Amino acid sequence: WRLSSVVLAIFIIWFFFNSRPPKDFPVGSSFHIERNTPLSNIADMLVKKKFIRSSFIFKLNVVFFNFNLKDGVLAGDYLFREPEDIWTMAYRMIKGDQGLSRIKIVVPEGSTVNSIASILKNKIPSFNAPYFVKIASSSEGYLFPDTYFFYQNTTAEDIVKSMRKTFDTRLQGIIFNIGLSQRKVEDIVTMASIIEKEASSTKDRMLISDVLWKRIDKGMLLQTDPTILYITLNPNNGYVSIKDTKIDSPYNTYKYKGLPKGPISNPSLDALKASANPTKNPYFYYLADKDGNMHYSVTYEGHLENKRKYLK
């Protein structure tokens, strides 16, 4: 019993001593963690660079704070303005608290991948906008427009992952309505991206949703007028320029029946709700006057009359 007590006391003293920051802790420096780096390698490098005294205690704390042996620390650049004990360091790294200020990024509803790239580039000058467009284009429609707070060194991959995760979370609130609609999720999203650009009020979006779904079901042309934004990078200053251009193929809904091959933008939750839960009505045509007011008609003749009346 006495021997066990002595051993325990020695271990406790060793544990707490080696949990303290080293005397030559590199204050003001940062530590970089690459994605998918094994925890053991990270711990050994922290010891080598004098951030911690014990790799064993660091790994023990990571497991303790995670409560999950499968989880580890998050990739990124961690800034240390003052010496930190091993508990604080482990907790920061599993939470991704890099010690850097976050930048507020507002992504408006209906933004395209290209316009999101431009927003990010304007807020974070070092951001690789063309690369973001390259990896995010396949996620068009699924990058939820919202207010985000990203680190200046956040990668394009992390931004796409964060925006897609937000989309998945918000979609759960209307998944029941999507099921009742008996339509595919990708079709709901594509239609929502069109509705986003066709009207701004919830009432009109829900009415237009029914009009467009009826036109789809009856094999009629949608005859909406989507646009796409494309991105160019100025090699002289690195800034992104955005330009509007009409889509011909395969997004031209005046030429091709059915939905476009994919979303034309990233729709809001309101547009997604309207797409999944339209307001039933007898109309097949609609138009907006110069003040943005919507006018509906059942027949094409009525639509022509509305054009004469409201689009002079």
Side-chain angles (χ1 to χ4, degrees):
W1 180 86
R2 289 179 179 177
L3 180 60
S4 298
S5 298
V6 171
V7 170
L8 180 61
I10 292 174
F11 176 78
I12 292 174
I13 293 171
W14 173 86
F15 184 90
F16 281 96
F17 175 80
N18 284 285
S19 295
R20 298 167 56 199
K23 290 183 178 180
D24 48 355
F25 188 99
V27 175
S29 60
S30 60
F31 182 79
H32 178 71
I33 300 177
E34 290 283 352
R35 189 185 301 272
N36 298 322
T37 303
L39 180 59
S40 294
N41 292 6
I42 295 170
D44 292 342
M45 189 58 64
L46 285 169
V47 172
K48 182 178 179 180
K49 294 192 174 184
K50 310 294 185 181
F51 284 99
I52 61 175
R53 298 174 184 267
S54 169
S55 60
F56 169 76
I57 297 176
F58 177 78
K59 290 185 287 186
L60 191 65
N61 276 279
V62 169
V63 172
F64 173 76
F65 285 126
N66 269 312
F67 299 103
N68 189 338
L69 295 176
K70 294 181 180 179
D71 294 335
V73 300
L74 298 178
D77 293 298
Y78 292 84
L79 176 64
F80 299 95
R81 294 187 174 87
E82 59 185 13
E84 294 184 358
D85 60 53
I86 206 164
W87 303 302
T88 302
M89 191 171 294
Y91 186 78
R92 277 183 58 185
M93 289 184 175
I94 67 166
K95 294 297 182 182
D97 179 5
Q98 299 179 33
L100 303 170
S101 58
R102 294 177 183 264
I103 298 173
K104 182 179 179 180
I105 307 290
V106 179
V107 179
E109 297 173 344
S111 297
T112 65
V113 165
N114 295 316
S115 58
I116 294 171
S118 179
I119 292 168
L120 291 166
K121 182 66 176 179
N122 289 333
K123 288 287 188 177
I124 309 174
S126 61
F127 186 72
N128 190 338
Y131 178 66
F132 174 82
V133 172
K134 179 181 178 181
I135 67 168
S137 292
S138 61
S139 295
E140 186 80 272
Y142 301 87
L143 304 178
F144 195 80
D146 206 345
T147 298
Y148 295 90
F149 293 87
F150 294 124
Y151 290 115
Q152 187 167 352
N153 61 344
T154 302
T155 65
E157 288 89 351
D158 286 337
I159 291 176
V160 171
K161 181 179 179 181
S162 178
M163 296 185 75
R164 286 217 56 153
K165 182 178 180 181
T166 303
F167 174 88
D168 292 339
T169 300
R170 298 298 181 89
L171 193 70
Q172 291 307 307
I174 62 170
I175 202 69
F176 178 73
N177 286 333
I178 293 177
L180 290 179
S181 74
Q182 297 184 330
R183 300 186 189 275
K184 297 178 181 177
V185 171
E186 51 265 34
D187 290 343
I188 292 291
V189 176
T190 298
M191 180 63 83
S193 71
I194 296 174
I195 295 170
E196 185 76 52
K197 294 183 178 295
E198 294 293 295
S200 57
S201 74
T202 299
K203 177 182 177 182
D204 284 323
R205 284 176 172 176
M206 295 179 72
L207 288 170
I208 289 173
S209 176
D210 189 61
V211 171
L212 296 179
W213 282 124
K214 286 201 301 267
R215 294 176 73 87
I216 289 284
D217 294 338
K218 289 184 177 297
M220 299 170 65
L221 291 167
L222 287 180
Q223 295 185 322
T224 56
D225 191 26
T227 59
I228 192 169
L229 296 171
Y230 67 85
I231 192 169
T232 58
L233 185 65
N234 188 321
N236 297 321
N237 58 26
Y239 285 99
V240 174
S241 60
I242 296 293
K243 184 177 180 181
D244 284 329
T245 181
K246 296 291 183 183
I247 301 175
D248 178 29
S249 175
Y251 290 90
N252 190 339
T253 55
Y254 279 85
K255 184 177 180 181
Y256 298 103
K257 293 180 180 180
L259 287 167
K261 69 173 185 178
I264 61 173
S265 68
N266 294 281
S268 62
L269 183 61
D270 188 62
L272 288 164
K273 288 180 178 178
S275 178
N277 187 30
T279 298
K280 299 299 180 182
N281 62 77
Y283 308 122
F284 279 87
Y285 302 89
Y286 64 90
L287 59 82
D289 61 26
K290 61 181 180 180
D291 296 320
N293 299 312
M294 304 302 298
H295 303 277
Y296 302 89
S297 57
V298 177
T299 64
Y300 183 63
E301 289 74 18
H303 183 59
L304 293 177
E305 178 61 27
N306 282 340
K307 279 188 173 183
R308 288 190 291 271
K309 186 182 300 184
Y310 301 109
L311 299 183
K312 289 183 179 180

